[in-house]
Amino acid sequence: AEAKAILELFKELRADEKYKNKSIGILSFFNAQATEIRKVFTEAGFKEENDNYKVSIIEGIQGDEKDIIIYSFSYFAF
């Protein structure tokens, strides 16, 4: 559910003139949740390389500056 909520927030930011061109980082503490977020975004037709966002776990984002950061604290259980 949180991955879908993050997708909706992303869409809202992209629709807002003030934020539409900003880079967005989506961070999770859990690999499984980051994978689920990527899946939800891909199914919605978004691609990291085309849509100026990056989904990552905390360790994978260091040194990669973004204008907006969205944190995902949930854990997706399979």
Side-chain angles (χ1 to χ4, degrees):
E2 184 176 280
K4 290 178 183 176
I6 289 171
L7 174 61
E8 291 308 310
L9 176 58
F10 177 81
K11 288 178 182 179
E12 288 175 24
L13 290 168
R14 287 294 179 240
D16 188 321
E17 192 65 34
K18 199 166 38 172
Y19 301 112
K20 74 178 189 174
N21 294 318
K22 301 289 185 182
S23 62
I24 297 176
I26 303 165
L27 302 181
S28 175
F29 293 97
F30 308 102
N31 281 319
Q33 182 67 6
T35 299
E36 179 65 11
I37 293 167
R38 278 190 207 95
K39 178 182 162 205
V40 167
F41 273 64
T42 300
E43 288 174 352
F46 293 103
K47 293 184 178 181
E48 290 182 61
E49 59 274 7
N50 297 337
D51 296 302
N52 201 16
Y53 73 93
K54 181 176 181 178
V55 178
S56 184
I57 58 170
I58 297 297
E59 292 86 7
I61 201 85
Q62 286 183 327
D64 192 6
E65 294 181 15
K66 299 294 179 197
D67 296 312
I68 299 168
I69 301 293
I70 300 170
Y71 289 97
S72 173
F73 292 102
S74 291
Y75 178 73
F76 177 77
F78 295 96

